Amino acid sequence: RLSGKVILVTGGEGCVGRRLIHKLIGLEIKRIISIDNARCSTPSGNRPLREQAGNSVFYAADIRDWRIQQQIYETEKPDIVFHLAAQRLPGVAEKHIRETVTTNVFGTQNVIRLCEEYCVQQCVFSSTGKASRYYTAEVYAASKKVAEWLFAEAAHRGKVRFGMVRFTHMLDNSAMCQQID
């Protein structure tokens, strides 16, 4: 299914994104595109907007920035999108509410709109097991739950094949491991 395709990964330099890209490199992918805002906040501030390595292209961009995202989709013309970009740490989400909501909700809206506008074949969204609660007052879980709802609505429109996966807990990706380390 992925052979010969242009694959775009939002959050491509996060824990899950890096592993996904590593797996994609071994397949017959035409081009792998990574979008991550981690490149935007380097200490030197001198990272270029776009870097290339083999058939992989890495963009320093934030999914909340519609204009830059639109330029990337226009340039790269992705066939398949894996939407992994998010505020992923529940504790940080409670302290940085605006960043969490704008990233997890409005950034997700941007990804959905761009997939529809640029006729992406399929988009897969990674959520969290915390979104399975019927009710939650936690910003992190609520923002991911709203993002899931946005994906469900987009899937219902039928312009793009949308899918979701809920990660419950991944040992190497947990906030607890970071605190222990």
Side-chain angles (χ1 to χ4, degrees):
R1 235 182 233 197
L2 302 177
S3 180
K5 305 287 185 184
V6 175
I7 310 294
L8 187 146
V9 180
T10 69
E13 294 186 50
C15 180
V16 177
R18 280 193 315 266
R19 289 195 175 162
L20 175 60
I21 288 173
H22 180 74
K23 294 288 186 188
L24 291 172
I25 288 172
L27 302 175
E28 296 175 10
I29 305 294
K30 181 177 180 181
R31 192 166 56 258
I32 300 167
I33 312 303
S34 170
I35 298 174
D36 202 296
N37 73 349
R39 294 182 156 263
C40 300
S41 58
T42 60
S44 68
N46 293 328
R47 299 287 289 275
L49 173 65
R50 182 180 190 272
E51 290 181 7
Q52 188 156 350
N55 73 337
S56 300
V57 180
F58 299 88
Y59 283 93
D62 193 311
I63 62 167
R64 297 174 292 181
D65 188 328
W66 171 262
R67 186 182 55 78
I68 289 177
Q69 296 299 310
Q70 196 173 34
Q71 290 172 357
I72 294 169
Y73 277 70
E74 182 66 34
T75 301
E76 303 295 347
K77 304 200 180 347
D79 298 305
I80 298 173
V81 172
F82 289 94
H83 176 41
L84 308 177
Q87 168 51 265
R88 70 174 189 88
L89 298 171
V92 174
E94 298 303 314
K95 294 176 186 167
H96 300 281
I97 295 169
R98 180 184 174 138
E99 180 182 343
T100 300
V101 172
T102 57
T103 300
N104 293 359
V105 177
F106 302 136
T108 295
Q109 280 182 314
N110 285 344
V111 171
I112 291 168
R113 284 179 53 207
L114 287 162
C115 286
E116 291 175 338
E117 184 175 320
Y118 289 91
C119 300
V120 168
Q121 295 169 12
Q122 184 171 10
C123 180
V124 178
F125 167 61
S126 74
S127 188
T128 177
K130 290 175 176 56
S132 64
R133 299 181 199 142
Y134 179 73
Y135 169 78
T136 181
E138 298 165 354
V139 173
Y140 171 75
S143 68
K144 294 296 260 185
K145 192 174 198 114
V146 169
E148 285 187 5
W149 179 80
L150 292 170
F151 260 79
E153 286 295 307
H156 184 68
R157 286 193 296 272
K159 294 180 181 179
V160 174
R161 196 168 61 225
F162 287 99
M164 292 184 276
V165 61
R166 283 184 176 160
F167 292 116
T168 54
H169 182 77
M170 298 184 315
L171 188 57
D172 292 347
N173 191 29
S174 72
M176 178 66 80
C177 286
Q178 290 175 346
Q179 291 173 356
I180 291 170
D181 289 346

